[in-house]
Amino acid sequence: MLYAIIAEDHPGTLQQRLSARPAHLAHLQTLQDKGALILAGPHPAIDSSDPGEAGFTGSLIVAEFPTLEAAQAWADTDPYLAAAVFSTVSVKPFKKVFPA
């Protein structure tokens, strides 16, 4: 089943985000390598794909996991969480409708 991992950043954590980014991307790569990653990316703090110093407000990941518990366990090991970038992380079942 698909799961949405919705994370909100602590304000003012752009430098922590940038420092932890290589480890975060490696964590995502594990899903990509298994063919389980549907999409992943950050939420820019301003209306721009390159927000510069404005930074980001969180992230969205949609991936396939065997269970909600497996999705939660994976999310709990995200390097952004360990680096105190994420203030909250929600994991929810997700039903893809479009594109078909």
Side-chain angles (χ1 to χ4, degrees), residues 26-82:
H27 191 55
L28 286 167
Q29 189 65 49
T30 64
L31 293 177
Q32 178 72 19
D33 291 348
K34 293 190 291 188
L37 184 61
I38 305 303
L39 64 88
H43 300 285
I46 60 174
D47 191 11
S48 172
S49 62
D50 183 6
E53 290 300 313
F56 301 92
T57 62
S59 297
L60 170 66
I61 300 163
V62 177
E64 187 173 356
F65 292 92
T67 64
L68 176 59
E69 292 77 16
Q72 185 68 59
W74 185 90
D76 288 345
T77 61
D78 193 300
Y80 281 170
L81 195 57

Side-chain angles (χ1 to χ4, degrees), residues 3-6 65 67-73 75-76 89-93:
Y3 294 89
I5 300 168
I6 306 154
F65 292 92
T67 64
L68 176 59
E69 292 77 16
Q72 185 68 59
D76 288 345
V89 178
S90 299
V91 180
K92 300 178 179 188

Side-chain angles (χ1 to χ4, degrees), residues 8-18 45 52-58 83-87:
E8 297 292 327
D9 287 9
H10 286 286
T13 56
L14 179 59
Q15 291 311 309
Q16 292 97 307
R17 178 182 267 273
L18 295 175
E53 290 300 313
F56 301 92
T57 62
V85 173
F86 291 158
S87 61

Side-chain angles (χ1 to χ4, degrees), residues 45 73 84 88 100:
T88 62

